[in-house]
Amino acid sequence: MFTDNDISAYSGKPRPGYRRMLEAIADGTVDVVVAWHTDRLHRSPLELEEYISLSEKHNVTTRTVQAGELDLSTASGRMTARIHGAVSRQESEHKSERISRKAQELAMAGKYMGGGRPYGWQQTDAGWVLDEAEAAVVREAHSHVLAGFSLGSFIQGMAERGITTARGNKWSYATLRQMMLRPRNAGLSEWKGEVVGQSEFPAIVERHVWEATRSVLTDPSRRRSTSNKVKHLLSGIALCECLRPVRAAQIVDRKGVKHNIYRCAETGPGHVNKRMSYVDDHVEQQVVYWLAMEAKVTASAPVDEAVLEAFRTDEAAYRERLNTAARMFADGTIDGEQLAEMSKGIKAKLEEVRQKLHKADEKAAQQHQVVTFDETWNPNEGGALEKWRGLHVERKRAHIRATYEIVLHRHARGSARVFDPATVQIAGKDQQIHYPDLPFPATPEGVANWKRERLGVEPATP
């Protein structure tokens, strides 16, 4: 007996049992096939033709409970099989269309579309309500990502606290990322990847927080690590002078001693590799110095709630203007060209506001989770540097990623065995903070100017 439980002939998924049956027919060990109905055998014209060819070649008879016997050795029998196949295919496609339309209808209405209980909510007689304990974990996860930390480290933290999924399973990288990307977290409904309206599920986080999180998680430059074992301070953060991220690697010197290095993914002239310990030590000293100076100049003012509220108001206004334009097009007030022109300008302004909200959300998350230094600390004393070095590498990486751009240059003068701090270019990302000794953020022009001014080297002409 050959079976494929819970695998539809229409789905297109591999059916191991069906394939074994075909192999048995080809081997000559089967002379009669018995099935409930022809649509249990195949609903694909390609599969049917393969089956007819094998049955005809090996003189195999097909008998079904519902459709009777099919004599595939004759033209009329093959025609009957093809008619049955076409009818079954049409029934499956029609059923699929009905299911799809119903799913779209539910999505447009913001209704629950079935499946397992989504993490963060509980179903009651009055509808879906927040599960406060789980909702708190969802909010914490959003804040964690916006502060610059990895999903792997959050998974580790949940495992240590015994936090499981809604089904009681351990969290994985894929399940956590999928949970955080769902629009439902912000009280939104989606259809085929697009937000289509409000959901019946109460929001766990504000829309701009979810959108900022989605922006971070879908950023192509973000380090895709399913592990929580982040080891190196600047891997994937610092840039080669060609402006590609550097990665951690290992070399062996002439004495057989292994050393960790930062190396550009590209090889050949024009790309960098540097001893990791030298670079990390220099960068950490600079970061602590600027942290202490920032604490003395400005105590890292918290995000102004009034400013956030103004951004939220602008965002809502631009979204409503887009909706108004769509309604005007629907009732014939404007044509498609006018709609496109109106939408282009409104979307540009909406995106500008969204980016401001994203930055504010990231700053708020960092203030809650990333290191801050007391304004009384002296950068020339050892306390601040020791505290910094005692932090988990994730926290240090989060602060550096959010605050600085770091470019590693090739050695330019003197012995290559002596580390030259001038080959490490550090630029402040936030131009509102005054770093008098820092250059402009990393650009090809900024890199070229640094080479001229700090290294005394004229950049090569591309």
Side-chain angles (χ1 to χ4, degrees):
M1 180 182 290
F2 304 97
T3 61
D4 284 309
N5 292 328
D6 299 323
I7 303 178
S8 168
Y10 174 69
S11 68
K13 295 180 180 178
R15 294 189 288 157
Y18 179 77
R19 299 311 305 180
R20 288 196 299 271
M21 183 191 72
L22 294 184
E23 291 170 2
I25 292 174
D27 292 341
T29 57
V30 170
D31 53 15
V32 177
V33 173
V34 179
W36 178 255
H37 194 282
T38 55
D39 61 12
R40 300 298 92 190
L41 285 173
H42 25 62
R43 291 194 177 184
S44 161
L46 291 176
E47 280 188 341
L48 175 59
E49 292 303 323
E50 180 185 19
Y51 180 79
I52 289 174
S53 177
L54 279 173
S55 298
E56 187 177 12
K57 180 178 180 181
H58 296 281
N59 196 29
V60 172
T61 302
T62 302
R63 292 190 175 95
T64 69
V65 176
Q66 295 292 309
E69 182 175 339
L70 294 178
D71 185 0
L72 300 178
S73 64
T74 66
S76 60
R78 292 191 292 273
M79 180 188 72
T80 300
R82 290 179 178 119
I83 291 173
H84 280 304
V87 170
S88 297
R89 183 75 177 180
Q90 189 273 341
E91 289 176 351
S92 294
E93 290 177 348
H94 185 53
K95 180 180 178 181
S96 177
E97 288 173 354
R98 289 200 312 269
I99 293 173
S100 180
R101 285 198 301 270
K102 183 60 177 179
Q104 183 178 12
E105 179 185 328
L106 290 173
M108 293 299 181
K111 300 295 184 181
Y112 181 48
M113 296 173 63
R117 177 182 72 83
Y119 189 85
W121 296 272
Q122 293 287 348
Q123 192 171 29
T124 68
D125 293 339
W128 289 96
V129 297
L130 290 181
D131 181 311
E132 293 300 340
E134 293 182 354
V137 174
V138 176
R139 294 187 193 101
E140 184 182 351
H142 281 271
S143 179
H144 187 90
V145 168
L146 290 177
F149 300 137
S150 70
L151 294 182
S153 63
F154 194 75
I155 292 170
Q156 180 185 32
M158 288 196 292
E160 292 170 352
R161 290 184 284 169
I163 298 173
T164 60
T165 67
R167 295 185 177 183
N169 300 323
K170 292 182 179 179
W171 287 94
S172 68
Y173 181 93
T175 55
L176 179 60
R177 186 176 186 274
Q178 182 180 23
M179 183 273 284
M180 298 186 68
L181 287 174
R182 64 190 184 190
R184 188 182 291 149
N185 292 349
L188 302 171
S189 180
E190 69 170 331
W191 175 248
K192 294 187 176 181
E194 296 292 330
V195 173
V196 293
Q198 295 299 309
S199 170
E200 66 174 325
F201 289 83
I204 296 177
V205 297
E206 294 185 74
R207 178 168 182 162
H208 61 84
V209 172
W210 169 73
E211 287 185 336
T213 303
R214 181 183 60 176
S215 178
V216 171
L217 291 178
T218 57
D219 182 356
S221 66
R222 178 178 169 83
R223 179 175 178 266
R224 296 295 198 276
S225 173
T226 60
S227 169
N228 52 30
K229 298 179 181 178
V230 179
K231 296 180 180 180
H232 306 296
L233 183 68
L234 302 176
S235 179
I237 295 177
L239 307 174
C240 171
E241 61 181 57
C242 72
L243 299 184
R244 293 183 178 88
V246 298
R247 302 299 181 192
Q250 203 171 65
I251 60 170
V252 180
D253 65 17
R254 295 178 181 177
K255 297 180 180 180
V257 179
K258 294 181 180 179
H259 298 285
N260 290 326
I261 63 169
Y262 291 121
R263 181 172 64 191
C264 183
E266 298 291 329
T267 58
H271 304 285
V272 73
N273 66 76
K274 284 191 171 298
R275 186 83 65 86
M276 189 179 292
S277 57
Y278 296 156
V279 175
D280 286 356
D281 183 67
H282 175 68
V283 168
E284 289 191 304
Q285 290 189 49
Q286 291 297 308
V287 168
V288 169
Y289 173 78
W290 289 113
L291 275 169
M293 289 297 292
E294 179 184 337
K296 288 185 175 183
V297 175
T298 172
S300 189
V303 176
D304 189 337
E305 186 61 34
V307 173
L308 273 179
E309 188 58 37
F311 288 156
R312 296 188 192 107
T313 301
D314 288 344
E315 181 195 34
Y318 288 131
R319 290 189 189 281
E320 182 53 32
R321 287 178 62 185
L322 282 175
N323 293 336
T324 300
R327 289 192 291 269
M328 292 173 67
F329 173 71
D331 63 22
T333 305
I334 59 175
D335 58 26
E337 184 178 354
Q338 290 170 317
L339 173 64
E341 190 63 28
M342 289 175 64
S343 298
K344 180 180 178 181
I346 297 171
K347 286 180 178 179
K349 294 178 180 178
L350 176 60
E351 182 60 26
E352 183 180 344
V353 172
R354 285 178 57 194
Q355 290 302 320
K356 291 177 180 178
L357 273 170
H358 291 181
K359 289 182 179 179
D361 290 325
E362 290 175 359
K363 183 177 180 181
Q366 291 154 14
Q367 286 176 339
H368 283 96
Q369 299 201 40
V370 184
V371 63
T372 55
F373 282 177
D374 186 273
E375 61 181 3
T376 62
W377 289 8
N378 187 338
N380 297 316
E381 295 177 354
L385 184 58
E386 291 306 312
K387 179 178 179 181
W388 168 268
R389 286 178 171 164
L391 293 172
H392 191 281
V393 66
E394 278 252 326
R395 291 190 175 275
K396 294 191 285 188
R397 283 173 57 87
H399 176 75
I400 291 172
R401 182 190 292 111
T403 312
Y404 304 101
E405 286 181 315
I406 299 173
V407 179
L408 306 183
H409 293 263
R410 288 171 293 161
H411 199 83
R413 58 193 177 195
S415 172
R417 298 182 182 180
V418 179
F419 175 70
D420 183 0
T423 59
V424 180
Q425 178 181 2
I426 308 177
K429 287 184 177 180
D430 190 347
Q431 295 304 298
Q432 295 178 356
I433 299 175
H434 182 50
Y435 294 146
D437 292 339
L438 291 182
F440 292 105
T443 61
E445 295 76 15
V447 169
N449 289 336
W450 179 277
K451 296 183 77 69
R452 294 189 190 95
E453 297 172 8
R454 300 297 181 93
L455 298 177
V457 175
E458 190 63 31
T461 302

mmCIF file of all heavy atoms in Angstrom, residues 231-259:
data_model
loop_
_atom_site.group_PDB
_atom_site.id
_atom_site.type_symbol
_atom_site.label_atom_id
_atom_site.label_comp_id
_atom_site.label_asym_id
_atom_site.label_seq_id
_atom_site.Cartn_x
_atom_site.Cartn_y
_atom_site.Cartn_z
ATOM 1 N N LYS A 231 31.295 37.728 19.513
ATOM 2 C CA LYS A 231 32.609 37.704 20.162
ATOM 3 C C LYS A 231 33.422 38.967 19.925
ATOM 4 O O LYS A 231 34.203 39.371 20.791
ATOM 5 C CB LYS A 231 33.408 36.500 19.650
ATOM 6 C CG LYS A 231 32.800 35.149 20.017
ATOM 7 C CD LYS A 231 33.665 34.021 19.471
ATOM 8 C CE LYS A 231 33.092 32.657 19.825
ATOM 9 N NZ LYS A 231 33.932 31.558 19.284
ATOM 10 N N HIS A 232 33.275 39.571 18.757
ATOM 11 C CA HIS A 232 34.224 40.601 18.358
ATOM 12 C C HIS A 232 33.560 41.973 18.323
ATOM 13 O O HIS A 232 32.454 42.131 17.802
ATOM 14 C CB HIS A 232 34.826 40.244 16.999
ATOM 15 C CG HIS A 232 35.422 38.861 16.966
ATOM 16 N ND1 HIS A 232 36.496 38.510 17.747
ATOM 17 C CD2 HIS A 232 35.062 37.751 16.276
ATOM 18 C CE1 HIS A 232 36.799 37.242 17.529
ATOM 19 N NE2 HIS A 232 35.932 36.759 16.647
ATOM 20 N N LEU A 233 34.261 42.961 18.829
ATOM 21 C CA LEU A 233 33.708 44.293 19.042
ATOM 22 C C LEU A 233 33.270 44.972 17.752
ATOM 23 O O LEU A 233 32.216 45.598 17.700
ATOM 24 C CB LEU A 233 34.745 45.166 19.759
ATOM 25 C CG LEU A 233 34.313 46.576 20.141
ATOM 26 C CD1 LEU A 233 33.240 46.523 21.225
ATOM 27 C CD2 LEU A 233 35.518 47.396 20.614
ATOM 28 N N LEU A 234 34.060 44.871 16.706
ATOM 29 C CA LEU A 234 33.830 45.684 15.511
ATOM 30 C C LEU A 234 33.520 44.884 14.258
ATOM 31 O O LEU A 234 33.359 45.462 13.188
ATOM 32 C CB LEU A 234 35.053 46.575 15.246
ATOM 33 C CG LEU A 234 35.435 47.519 16.381
ATOM 34 C CD1 LEU A 234 36.716 48.261 16.031
ATOM 35 C CD2 LEU A 234 34.313 48.503 16.660
ATOM 36 N N SER A 235 33.424 43.567 14.371
ATOM 37 C CA SER A 235 33.125 42.754 13.201
ATOM 38 C C SER A 235 31.756 43.121 12.635
ATOM 39 O O SER A 235 30.760 43.139 13.340
ATOM 40 C CB SER A 235 33.136 41.272 13.580
ATOM 41 O OG SER A 235 32.828 40.463 12.472
ATOM 42 N N GLY A 236 31.728 43.442 11.322
ATOM 43 C CA GLY A 236 30.482 43.840 10.689
ATOM 44 C C GLY A 236 30.088 45.279 10.946
ATOM 45 O O GLY A 236 29.095 45.758 10.392
ATOM 46 N N ILE A 237 30.822 45.994 11.787
ATOM 47 C CA ILE A 237 30.530 47.397 12.106
ATOM 48 C C ILE A 237 31.579 48.312 11.472
ATOM 49 O O ILE A 237 31.248 49.242 10.750
ATOM 50 C CB ILE A 237 30.486 47.618 13.633
ATOM 51 C CG1 ILE A 237 29.322 46.830 14.241
ATOM 52 C CG2 ILE A 237 30.347 49.103 13.953
ATOM 53 C CD1 ILE A 237 29.248 46.929 15.746
ATOM 54 N N ALA A 238 32.860 48.041 11.770
ATOM 55 C CA ALA A 238 33.928 48.843 11.165
ATOM 56 C C ALA A 238 33.998 48.567 9.669
ATOM 57 O O ALA A 238 33.605 47.494 9.185
ATOM 58 C CB ALA A 238 35.265 48.521 11.827
ATOM 59 N N LEU A 239 34.502 49.550 8.937
ATOM 60 C CA LEU A 239 34.603 49.451 7.491
ATOM 61 C C LEU A 239 36.053 49.454 7.045
ATOM 62 O O LEU A 239 36.909 50.099 7.664
ATOM 63 C CB LEU A 239 33.877 50.623 6.821
ATOM 64 C CG LEU A 239 32.430 50.879 7.230
ATOM 65 C CD1 LEU A 239 31.928 52.160 6.562
ATOM 66 C CD2 LEU A 239 31.545 49.707 6.854
ATOM 67 N N CYS A 240 36.319 48.731 5.975
ATOM 68 C CA CYS A 240 37.595 48.869 5.274
ATOM 69 C C CYS A 240 37.600 50.246 4.607
ATOM 70 O O CYS A 240 36.554 50.871 4.422
ATOM 71 C CB CYS A 240 37.727 47.753 4.249
ATOM 72 S SG CYS A 240 39.140 47.922 3.119
ATOM 73 N N GLU A 241 38.749 50.722 4.197
ATOM 74 C CA GLU A 241 38.789 52.035 3.529
ATOM 75 C C GLU A 241 38.054 52.016 2.194
ATOM 76 O O GLU A 241 37.727 53.061 1.651
ATOM 77 C CB GLU A 241 40.240 52.500 3.339
ATOM 78 C CG GLU A 241 41.101 51.592 2.482
ATOM 79 C CD GLU A 241 42.527 52.119 2.371
ATOM 80 O OE1 GLU A 241 43.186 52.309 3.413
ATOM 81 O OE2 GLU A 241 42.964 52.355 1.234
ATOM 82 N N CYS A 242 37.714 50.825 1.697
ATOM 83 C CA CYS A 242 36.861 50.728 0.505
ATOM 84 C C CYS A 242 35.393 50.844 0.882
ATOM 85 O O CYS A 242 34.524 50.777 0.007
ATOM 86 C CB CYS A 242 37.124 49.410 -0.224
ATOM 87 S SG CYS A 242 36.479 47.952 0.633
ATOM 88 N N LEU A 243 35.105 50.987 2.198
ATOM 89 C CA LEU A 243 33.772 51.166 2.770
ATOM 90 C C LEU A 243 32.925 49.901 2.752
ATOM 91 O O LEU A 243 31.706 49.954 2.840
ATOM 92 C CB LEU A 243 33.024 52.325 2.104
ATOM 93 C CG LEU A 243 33.700 53.695 2.245
ATOM 94 C CD1 LEU A 243 32.827 54.772 1.646
ATOM 95 C CD2 LEU A 243 34.010 53.995 3.714
ATOM 96 N N ARG A 244 33.581 48.728 2.694
ATOM 97 C CA ARG A 244 32.893 47.463 2.925
ATOM 98 C C ARG A 244 33.148 47.029 4.366
ATOM 99 O O ARG A 244 34.218 47.281 4.911
ATOM 100 C CB ARG A 244 33.395 46.377 1.973
ATOM 101 C CG ARG A 244 33.037 46.618 0.512
ATOM 102 C CD ARG A 244 33.530 45.441 -0.335
ATOM 103 N NE ARG A 244 33.169 45.586 -1.735
ATOM 104 C CZ ARG A 244 33.913 46.221 -2.632
ATOM 105 N NH1 ARG A 244 35.047 46.791 -2.257
ATOM 106 N NH2 ARG A 244 33.533 46.308 -3.882
ATOM 107 N N PRO A 245 32.182 46.373 5.005
ATOM 108 C CA PRO A 245 32.390 45.946 6.402
ATOM 109 C C PRO A 245 33.530 44.938 6.510
ATOM 110 O O PRO A 245 33.746 44.109 5.618
ATOM 111 C CB PRO A 245 31.053 45.284 6.776
ATOM 112 C CG PRO A 245 30.063 45.832 5.810
ATOM 113 C CD PRO A 245 30.824 46.062 4.530
ATOM 114 N N VAL A 246 34.260 45.017 7.620
ATOM 115 C CA VAL A 246 35.316 44.044 7.876
ATOM 116 C C VAL A 246 34.758 42.890 8.702
ATOM 117 O O VAL A 246 33.766 43.042 9.418
ATOM 118 C CB VAL A 246 36.517 44.686 8.618
ATOM 119 C CG1 VAL A 246 37.151 45.768 7.777
ATOM 120 C CG2 VAL A 246 36.101 45.231 9.981
ATOM 121 N N ARG A 247 35.408 41.744 8.595
ATOM 122 C CA ARG A 247 35.018 40.546 9.333
ATOM 123 C C ARG A 247 36.194 40.057 10.171
ATOM 124 O O ARG A 247 37.344 40.415 9.921
ATOM 125 C CB ARG A 247 34.589 39.433 8.373
ATOM 126 C CG ARG A 247 33.440 39.817 7.457
ATOM 127 C CD ARG A 247 32.198 40.154 8.238
ATOM 128 N NE ARG A 247 31.082 40.509 7.384
ATOM 129 C CZ ARG A 247 29.950 41.060 7.815
ATOM 130 N NH1 ARG A 247 29.807 41.319 9.104
ATOM 131 N NH2 ARG A 247 28.978 41.369 6.988
ATOM 132 N N ALA A 248 35.878 39.245 11.151
ATOM 133 C CA ALA A 248 36.928 38.676 11.990
ATOM 134 C C ALA A 248 37.600 37.519 11.256
ATOM 135 O O ALA A 248 36.944 36.753 10.546
ATOM 136 C CB ALA A 248 36.342 38.199 13.310
ATOM 137 N N ALA A 249 38.898 37.406 11.414
ATOM 138 C CA ALA A 249 39.648 36.308 10.821
ATOM 139 C C ALA A 249 40.833 35.999 11.733
ATOM 140 O O ALA A 249 41.003 36.632 12.787
ATOM 141 C CB ALA A 249 40.117 36.664 9.413
ATOM 142 N N GLN A 250 41.626 35.043 11.339
ATOM 143 C CA GLN A 250 42.772 34.654 12.152
ATOM 144 C C GLN A 250 43.974 34.427 11.255
ATOM 145 O O GLN A 250 43.843 33.883 10.144
ATOM 146 C CB GLN A 250 42.448 33.371 12.927
ATOM 147 C CG GLN A 250 43.278 33.174 14.180
ATOM 148 C CD GLN A 250 42.783 32.018 15.020
ATOM 149 O OE1 GLN A 250 42.833 30.873 14.583
ATOM 150 N NE2 GLN A 250 42.297 32.298 16.222
ATOM 151 N N ILE A 251 45.149 34.858 11.730
ATOM 152 C CA ILE A 251 46.394 34.628 11.005
ATOM 153 C C ILE A 251 47.413 34.007 11.956
ATOM 154 O O ILE A 251 47.237 34.043 13.184
ATOM 155 C CB ILE A 251 46.971 35.938 10.423
ATOM 156 C CG1 ILE A 251 47.257 36.952 11.541
ATOM 157 C CG2 ILE A 251 46.039 36.530 9.375
ATOM 158 C CD1 ILE A 251 48.036 38.168 11.073
ATOM 159 N N VAL A 252 48.446 33.461 11.376
ATOM 160 C CA VAL A 252 49.535 32.872 12.159
ATOM 161 C C VAL A 252 50.818 33.596 11.776
ATOM 162 O O VAL A 252 51.154 33.684 10.583
ATOM 163 C CB VAL A 252 49.670 31.363 11.891
ATOM 164 C CG1 VAL A 252 50.819 30.784 12.715
ATOM 165 C CG2 VAL A 252 48.367 30.643 12.209
ATOM 166 N N ASP A 253 51.535 34.152 12.768
ATOM 167 C CA ASP A 253 52.760 34.891 12.445
ATOM 168 C C ASP A 253 53.929 33.937 12.234
ATOM 169 O O ASP A 253 53.779 32.699 12.275
ATOM 170 C CB ASP A 253 53.064 35.928 13.536
ATOM 171 C CG ASP A 253 53.382 35.290 14.890
ATOM 172 O OD1 ASP A 253 53.687 34.077 14.933
ATOM 173 O OD2 ASP A 253 53.320 36.013 15.906
ATOM 174 N N ARG A 254 55.115 34.503 12.008
ATOM 175 C CA ARG A 254 56.284 33.689 11.683
ATOM 176 C C ARG A 254 56.699 32.770 12.819
ATOM 177 O O ARG A 254 57.354 31.754 12.597
ATOM 178 C CB ARG A 254 57.452 34.603 11.312
ATOM 179 C CG ARG A 254 57.203 35.415 10.038
ATOM 180 C CD ARG A 254 58.355 36.336 9.750
ATOM 181 N NE ARG A 254 58.118 37.125 8.545
ATOM 182 C CZ ARG A 254 58.953 38.058 8.096
ATOM 183 N NH1 ARG A 254 60.090 38.310 8.766
ATOM 184 N NH2 ARG A 254 58.670 38.736 6.989
ATOM 185 N N LYS A 255 56.302 33.141 14.030
ATOM 186 C CA LYS A 255 56.646 32.321 15.191
ATOM 187 C C LYS A 255 55.582 31.267 15.483
ATOM 188 O O LYS A 255 55.665 30.542 16.476
ATOM 189 C CB LYS A 255 56.834 33.216 16.420
ATOM 190 C CG LYS A 255 57.984 34.202 16.290
ATOM 191 C CD LYS A 255 58.115 35.045 17.544
ATOM 192 C CE LYS A 255 59.262 36.045 17.420
ATOM 193 N NZ LYS A 255 59.394 36.886 18.648
ATOM 194 N N GLY A 256 54.552 31.212 14.629
ATOM 195 C CA GLY A 256 53.501 30.222 14.829
ATOM 196 C C GLY A 256 52.427 30.655 15.798
ATOM 197 O O GLY A 256 51.573 29.834 16.180
ATOM 198 N N VAL A 257 52.414 31.943 16.181
ATOM 199 C CA VAL A 257 51.414 32.452 17.119
ATOM 200 C C VAL A 257 50.187 32.920 16.346
ATOM 201 O O VAL A 257 50.314 33.640 15.347
ATOM 202 C CB VAL A 257 51.988 33.612 17.963
ATOM 203 C CG1 VAL A 257 50.928 34.144 18.928
ATOM 204 C CG2 VAL A 257 53.219 33.142 18.729
ATOM 205 N N LYS A 258 49.014 32.524 16.821
ATOM 206 C CA LYS A 258 47.775 32.930 16.164
ATOM 207 C C LYS A 258 47.326 34.305 16.660
ATOM 208 O O LYS A 258 47.439 34.602 17.851
ATOM 209 C CB LYS A 258 46.671 31.903 16.431
ATOM 210 C CG LYS A 258 46.930 30.545 15.799
ATOM 211 C CD LYS A 258 45.777 29.590 16.100
ATOM 212 C CE LYS A 258 46.029 28.228 15.458
ATOM 213 N NZ LYS A 258 44.916 27.272 15.753
ATOM 214 N N HIS A 259 46.821 35.132 15.743
ATOM 215 C CA HIS A 259 46.312 36.461 16.099
ATOM 216 C C HIS A 259 44.971 36.683 15.398
ATOM 217 O O HIS A 259 44.804 36.338 14.225
ATOM 218 C CB HIS A 259 47.284 37.556 15.646
ATOM 219 C CG HIS A 259 48.629 37.471 16.284
ATOM 220 N ND1 HIS A 259 48.863 37.843 17.582
ATOM 221 C CD2 HIS A 259 49.824 37.028 15.778
ATOM 222 C CE1 HIS A 259 50.143 37.665 17.867
ATOM 223 N NE2 HIS A 259 50.749 37.167 16.796
#
